[in-house]
Amino acid sequence: MTIIEKFSTISDVMNSLINFVQTNEDIKPDFQEYLVTIGAKNPPESQMHSICMPYIFERNLNSKSIMELFLEKTKKITKPARLVLKGLTSSVSSIFEVKKILKNGFELYNLVNEKTYTVISLVKMTNFRGVGIGQYVVARIFEFEEEYYLLEISNVLAANQKDDAMRYAIAKIIQAPEVVYKDNKEKEKSIEKQVKKLYKYFLDCFATDEIITTNKFADDVIGLFNDYAETRKKPPKEEIDEKIQLPADYKFFNVTEFNNSYENFLENSLGGFSAHKETYDVGIIFDEELGLSAIPFYKTFCKIFEENDYKTIPNYDKCVEHFLINDSISANLLKRVEAKHENFMKVINELYSTEMSFEEILEQYKSQHLKEKIFSSTTVLYESKTFSKTLGYIEEEEQKPQIDTTNVGRNDPCPCGSGKKFKKCCLFARA
């Protein structure tokens, strides 16, 4: 396909998706509700593309993505359009550092998955006149016929807003750990290797892969393990026993510190569980496949299936709901609890007045975990260079930005993004 044909195919597919969410009888009500939620009940046509983007790529209905529903309900789709849809389904949304400005796109370094992309812009580069080397862009890119295309830039941060860019990247990792190794097989293999090694260390340290304590001691337990993993000196049993304390009672409730704003979430996260005012149980679990997790109210959740009358557990229904709908709770964790308690599905079906099987529960609530391997956020964070740089564990290497001036005319806009003509900017500086 020629460049023009590729651009036309991509444009046609995007326009079809935008039309689909506005007109399909099954999707339209939800889309209209979405517009009301974001305060754009009757948006002008000129804004519809940017408004639809997050809905199309992030919304799920009945455990299916908008792209999946589009494929199901669209009768005739050409082969090139299917390839575009495949690329869009695997699109990468992240924050990137602008490394180079090319004549027809950018070279972007993904702060989240640590991979550099050469991307082709679907619109004229003059639309990005304010974007310069060293700045950070929140963007979505996708692959089509072995080339990456820039679908949108939704935000731009100045070069001196590096801390904000790093915060954004870490927030993405905490929210969706899989983005660290999405589209980066080398990173995924590295994490898999690390998980296998650390799982053995955890068993060596504690003689179990599951520890229950309170939030007041959870950080200390994790600290003991980190020290052992680093030095291979096993802590005394009495020191471990001191850190394993159980709460006076088991109950589920909202923890205010979990509702962090963007501005302070990193500080509160690094402050640890012990900084929280309330006392609650925490399960420190090392999953052989997915890594280390610290799960608040894990034992409370288990107690629901251990007590003769689960209704004696305060907020038992909200606790069950939390473990089912929370995306950070893996399918593996539910499998762990279900394997321990024969009455697991009996209690769930009684609570929800259903007759589902355990497999149906996983399909309904944990479908994403069944489709792909999602390592724990704790495991992934410590394999992230962005996170390590933020904590000061490693020093960042300063790289001098490079500008591709190939085939740039003297009177063309300077590729550095200054807005000046090339002859009066970088070409002048070299003279």
Side-chain angles (χ1 to χ4, degrees):
M1 295 177 70
T2 65
I3 287 291
I4 294 176
E5 288 173 334
K6 289 179 181 179
F7 277 29
S8 177
T9 302
I10 294 168
S11 177
D12 288 345
V13 170
M14 286 306 305
N15 288 334
S16 296
L17 284 167
I18 291 170
N19 182 65
F20 175 71
V21 300
Q22 293 180 80
T23 59
N24 181 269
E25 59 183 20
D26 296 327
I27 309 296
K28 185 177 179 180
D30 184 72
F31 180 65
Q32 291 298 324
E33 183 179 332
Y34 167 78
L35 292 179
V36 173
T37 302
I38 65 172
K41 189 173 183 180
N42 296 301
E45 192 64 31
S46 60
Q47 296 180 10
M48 190 56 71
H49 184 275
S50 60
I51 287 174
C52 284
M53 292 291 254
Y55 181 86
I56 289 171
F57 288 100
E58 297 168 13
R59 196 73 158 187
N60 285 293
L61 294 177
N62 300 320
S63 299
K64 292 183 179 180
S65 69
I66 298 299
M67 242 84 71
E68 288 175 315
L69 294 170
F70 178 78
L71 283 167
E72 284 181 5
K73 298 177 182 295
T74 305
K75 294 181 180 179
K76 294 183 179 180
I77 302 177
T78 65
K79 184 178 180 180
R82 285 188 180 275
L83 290 175
V84 171
L85 285 165
K86 181 180 179 182
L88 292 175
T89 301
S90 303
S91 66
V92 177
S93 175
S94 187
I95 185 160
F96 303 84
E97 182 182 355
V98 180
K99 290 293 187 181
K100 293 182 184 179
I101 298 178
L102 312 174
K103 195 169 184 180
N104 65 340
F106 299 93
E107 186 176 290
L108 302 174
Y109 174 74
N110 189 341
L111 269 64
V112 173
N113 77 352
E114 302 164 18
K115 184 175 176 179
T116 299
Y117 297 85
T118 298
V119 300
I120 300 170
S121 172
L122 295 171
V123 298
K124 293 180 179 179
M125 287 299 290
T126 52
N127 291 326
F128 304 117
R129 188 163 289 169
V131 178
I133 289 176
Q135 292 182 328
Y136 301 90
V137 294
V138 179
R140 184 179 293 275
I141 65 175
F142 74 101
E143 186 179 11
F144 174 47
E145 292 198 338
E146 299 183 346
E147 291 181 306
Y148 283 91
Y149 292 87
L150 176 63
L151 201 56
E152 67 164 346
I153 290 180
S154 59
N155 197 9
V156 180
L157 299 180
N160 62 7
Q161 292 180 283
K162 180 179 177 180
D163 288 345
D164 289 334
M166 303 282 266
R167 286 169 176 268
Y168 182 94
I170 295 171
K172 290 280 288 186
I173 296 170
I174 293 173
Q175 182 184 19
E178 65 275 14
V179 297
V180 169
Y181 48 91
K182 185 177 183 179
D183 200 36
N184 191 340
K185 290 296 182 183
E186 290 184 7
K187 194 69 176 177
E188 183 174 3
K189 289 179 181 178
S190 173
I191 295 172
E192 286 177 346
K193 184 177 180 180
Q194 184 76 347
V195 166
K196 289 180 180 179
K197 180 178 74 173
L198 292 178
Y199 178 72
K200 293 179 181 178
Y201 287 176
F202 197 90
L203 290 179
D204 289 343
C205 186
F206 300 115
T208 178
D209 64 359
E210 177 180 309
I211 291 176
I212 309 296
T213 188
T214 70
N215 59 301
K216 302 302 179 183
F217 293 96
D219 300 321
D220 293 335
V221 173
I222 294 173
L224 289 176
F225 171 63
N226 287 340
D227 290 343
Y228 176 71
E230 189 173 321
T231 65
R232 300 305 307 278
K233 294 181 180 179
K234 190 171 181 178
K237 184 177 183 302
E238 55 269 22
E239 187 176 358
I240 295 175
D241 291 342
E242 286 177 4
K243 308 301 181 184
I244 299 178
Q245 303 288 334
L246 300 180
D249 52 10
Y250 295 94
K251 57 184 177 182
F252 182 82
F253 52 89
N254 289 323
V255 178
T256 56
E257 286 85 357
F258 291 153
N259 301 317
N260 298 324
S261 67
Y262 171 77
E263 287 74 18
N264 68 2
F265 87 92
L266 182 57
E267 288 78 3
N268 284 341
S269 296
L270 297 180
F273 294 109
S274 59
H276 298 177
K277 296 177 182 178
E278 302 93 338
T279 300
Y280 52 89
D281 63 280
V282 176
I284 300 170
I285 300 167
F286 206 111
D287 185 289
E288 188 174 7
E289 182 183 12
L290 305 179
L292 179 66
S293 295
I295 311 295
F297 301 104
Y298 171 71
K299 187 60 178 180
T300 299
F301 181 59
C302 292
K303 280 284 185 180
I304 292 171
F305 309 101
E306 295 172 1
E307 297 295 314
N308 292 328
D309 182 5
Y310 60 82
K311 294 181 181 179
T312 59
I313 305 292
N315 296 318
Y316 63 89
D317 51 344
K318 292 180 181 178
C319 184
V320 170
E321 181 183 35
H322 170 78
F323 275 77
L324 292 181
I325 69 173
N326 191 329
D327 290 337
S328 66
I329 303 295
S330 71
N332 280 14
L333 189 82
L334 292 189
K335 290 177 183 178
R336 176 183 289 260
V337 178
E338 190 271 343
K340 290 182 178 181
H341 303 98
E342 294 181 359
N343 64 337
F344 184 88
M345 283 312 305
K346 179 182 178 182
V347 172
I348 297 294
N349 281 322
E350 187 175 316
L351 278 173
Y352 289 94
S353 300
T354 57
E355 295 182 359
M356 290 191 291
S357 65
F358 180 60
E359 289 70 25
E360 289 172 326
I361 284 286
L362 294 180
E363 187 63 43
Q364 179 169 336
Y365 294 102
K366 305 296 177 184
S367 60
Q368 195 63 29
H369 288 266
L370 299 179
K371 293 175 184 176
E372 59 182 315
K373 181 184 290 186
I374 302 178
F375 296 103
S376 72
S377 58
T378 304
T379 299
V380 169
L381 275 175
Y382 283 98
E383 285 291 301
S384 163
K385 290 181 180 178
T386 295
F387 186 66
S388 297
K389 289 174 184 175
T390 302
L391 295 185
Y393 291 160
I394 59 177
E395 294 184 5
E396 186 172 7
E397 296 178 2
E398 292 294 332
Q399 293 184 348
K400 188 176 180 180
Q402 297 180 342
I403 304 172
D404 185 356
T405 58
T406 306
N407 298 322
V408 178
R410 287 171 54 83
N411 292 312
D412 289 341
C414 187
C416 77
S418 67
K420 299 178 182 179
K421 289 184 178 181
F422 181 48
K423 66 182 181 182
K424 293 185 177 181
C425 191
C426 289
L427 181 63
F428 174 78
R430 292 208 306 262

